Amino acid sequence: MSEPENPSSETVEDVEEELDGEAVEAGDSQAIAAQLMKNPGVLAALQDKLSSIVGSPSGYIQSLPKEVKRRIKALKKLQNEIINVEAEFYKEVNLLELKYAPKYTALFEKRKEVVSAAREPTDEECDWPSDEEEEDEKDEEGKLAPDSQQGELKDKTSLEGAKEAGGDGEEKKAEEDTKGIPSFWLTIFKNVDMLSEMVQEHDEPIMAHLQDIQVVIHDKDPVGFSLEFRFEPNEYFTETVLTKRYEMRYEPDPQDPFAFEGPEIIKCTGCTITWNKGKNVTVKQIKKKQKHKGRGLTRTVTKQVQADSFFNFFNPPAVPEGSESEVDEEIEALLGADFEIGHFIRERIVPRAVLFFTGEAIENDDYDDEENEEGEDDEYDEDNDPDFNPEASN
């Protein structure tokens, strides 16, 4: 929607350091600008910094004649109308998403069937070029060796084949027994920096049971979307679907209409996970010594505390009703990160899952950045360049 998308892990502090720097070269500034336009967290930090800069009036507006100030008020009223038109535009975009949602859902369902081994794809469905095909062609060329080499190769194969026949047979059987695409979604989460930070080692056996992530768009109040994480039956919890719902606002805030920059997530709610005994990875037991004030005796008590886990994603901090000023900085930061992750999963991960699984989606992002950097003209010193030939340049 309106938020940019990029799985960057750059923090607000990083941006502030860049903005506070004394100077930035032209090539670097363009690369930074490209990165900012992709990362909602970094972009928000930049906007906050610019707000603090622009927020210091020079006194010019106050010095203007009364008639000019009157005309500025007319422009602000026009700006409000522009924002209202922009809000209508985003509502139409949402309706367009609803229109195409069934088409996406049908294709995503086919993807789920292949991943979960509910259906084996046909030869026609598998007709897609890949890098492995080039390797297979090279192998075929190796087989078409001269007759003398073919004979030597045959003798060598017959000797080694007798030794390795048993092992090869077991390996072939293991390949045949592999169903669907194992650890499809777990691999995606581990490939993406933003998501891999959430997944702990003790989460991985559970995430291996994740078969699909589905996006459900809500067009009734409260509008927004849900992420449905669908698991196969497992030993860890009783649910097969874990849900995270995000509520969105498509209209400008009446209290601050000029702050509107498109639809924004304003609230999220998780779900209850019914953990089987001894399987809850979101908590851990710690032992703590306590000393009695009067007697001086010491005892050891066991206390349960929250543990780092991906599954804390389904237990987000509650958003207090009322003014945003009631939210402390820590909760606001947690909610901001949560909103960014939910938006990224919806807009990037679910639609392009296989490309994040293979790493192609990540490689393409890196390649674009490198291409932009290589396109810059670098200055160099001719006197210190051993390869520089003045006659060739004339």
Side-chain angles (χ1 to χ4, degrees):
M1 300 291 290
S2 64
E3 298 180 37
E5 310 153 352
N6 184 40
S8 171
S9 58
E10 188 167 2
T11 62
V12 171
E13 288 77 14
D14 295 333
V15 177
E16 290 181 345
E17 290 177 3
E18 292 175 5
L19 290 172
D20 290 338
E22 295 181 359
V24 180
E25 295 182 1
D28 293 338
S29 64
Q30 292 182 8
I32 293 172
Q35 185 180 17
L36 294 177
M37 291 305 295
K38 294 180 180 179
N39 190 316
V42 177
L43 184 58
L46 178 61
Q47 291 170 342
D48 291 342
K49 193 70 178 180
L50 291 177
S51 296
S52 64
I53 296 173
V54 179
S56 303
S58 62
Y60 171 69
I61 302 299
Q62 288 77 4
S63 66
L64 292 173
K66 184 177 179 180
E67 288 300 316
V68 176
K69 291 181 179 179
R70 178 174 173 273
R71 294 170 195 140
I72 293 174
K73 293 178 66 176
L75 294 183
K76 285 189 174 182
K77 188 172 182 179
L78 284 173
Q79 183 63 43
N80 188 58
E81 294 180 18
I82 292 171
I83 290 174
N84 290 332
V85 171
E86 186 179 358
E88 292 178 12
F89 165 78
Y90 286 117
K91 288 180 181 178
E92 291 291 330
V93 171
N94 186 51
L95 293 175
L96 198 60
E97 286 187 329
L98 289 169
K99 176 183 176 182
Y100 281 88
K103 294 184 178 182
Y104 282 114
T105 301
L107 295 172
F108 293 156
E109 185 62 29
K110 290 183 178 181
R111 180 178 68 189
K112 175 189 173 184
E113 291 173 354
V114 173
V115 170
S116 62
R119 180 179 65 86
E120 188 66 24
T122 65
D123 290 342
E124 183 181 356
E125 290 175 321
C126 297
D127 184 16
W128 188 260
S130 66
D131 294 337
E132 294 179 358
E133 291 179 354
E134 297 180 2
E135 296 178 3
D136 293 339
E137 290 177 1
K138 292 180 181 178
D139 292 340
E140 289 295 329
E141 293 176 0
K143 294 177 181 177
L144 300 177
D147 293 341
S148 58
Q149 295 181 15
Q150 289 279 2
E152 296 175 2
L153 187 61
K154 185 176 180 181
D155 294 339
K156 185 178 180 181
T157 303
S158 61
L159 291 173
E160 296 179 352
K163 298 178 182 179
E164 302 179 0
D168 291 345
E170 293 177 2
E171 184 178 345
K172 185 175 181 181
K173 186 177 183 301
E175 291 179 359
E176 292 175 351
D177 291 341
T178 302
K179 304 298 182 183
I181 304 181
S183 301
F184 180 78
W185 292 99
L186 171 59
T187 302
I188 292 172
F189 272 67
K190 293 176 71 174
N191 282 347
V192 179
D193 290 342
M194 179 191 294
L195 304 180
S196 64
E197 295 174 357
M198 303 168 61
V199 180
Q200 308 301 313
E201 187 175 352
H202 52 248
D203 293 324
E204 294 186 13
I206 312 176
M207 295 292 287
H209 293 286
L210 180 60
Q211 293 186 315
D212 197 26
I213 302 177
Q214 298 180 0
V215 178
V216 179
I217 302 176
H218 304 291
D219 58 340
K220 307 294 183 183
D221 287 335
V223 296
F225 65 94
S226 292
L227 299 176
E228 296 183 353
F229 293 73
R230 298 185 172 270
F231 291 82
E232 63 182 349
N234 59 80
E235 61 181 296
Y236 298 95
F237 44 76
T238 60
E239 292 82 7
T240 56
V241 180
L242 301 182
T243 304
K244 185 72 171 287
R245 173 157 185 165
Y246 291 89
E247 295 182 18
M248 301 186 68
R249 179 169 58 200
Y250 285 83
E251 304 85 9
D253 184 352
Q255 302 298 325
D256 189 12
F258 294 153
F260 181 75
E261 295 181 352
E264 61 177 335
I265 299 173
I266 57 174
K267 185 179 180 181
C268 65
T269 53
C271 66
T272 300
I273 302 178
T274 308
W275 294 95
N276 293 327
K277 186 176 181 181
K279 299 295 184 180
N280 189 349
V281 295
T282 64
V283 296
K284 61 182 178 180
Q285 307 291 333
I286 62 170
K287 292 183 178 181
K288 189 176 182 180
K289 290 185 178 181
Q290 293 181 341
K291 188 175 182 180
H292 194 279
K293 293 182 179 179
R295 301 178 181 179
L297 299 175
T298 302
R299 66 174 183 176
T300 301
V301 296
T302 302
K303 186 178 180 182
Q304 182 172 283
V305 298
Q306 187 180 49
D308 292 336
S309 170
F310 163 76
F311 293 91
N312 291 326
F313 180 68
F314 299 97
N315 184 29
V319 178
E321 298 292 337
S323 173
E324 293 183 1
S325 60
E326 298 177 3
V327 182
D328 62 45
E329 291 183 1
E330 182 178 358
I331 293 180
E332 188 174 4
L334 289 172
L335 288 172
D338 193 304
F339 295 170
E340 182 180 347
I341 291 168
H343 176 82
F344 184 74
I345 292 175
R346 174 192 175 180
E347 296 292 337
R348 296 291 300 278
I349 296 297
V350 172
R352 298 171 174 80
V354 68
L355 301 181
F356 282 100
F357 174 78
T358 61
E360 293 170 86
I362 303 169
E363 291 172 3
N364 288 340
D365 287 342
D366 294 340
Y367 178 78
D368 289 342
D369 292 340
E370 292 173 3
E371 186 177 43
N372 290 337
E373 292 174 5
E374 290 175 359
E376 302 299 331
D377 293 331
D378 297 329
E379 295 182 358
Y380 69 99
D381 187 354
E382 297 176 357
D383 296 333
N384 295 326
D385 185 358
D387 297 326
F388 178 70
N389 186 350
E391 296 181 359
S393 63
N394 292 332

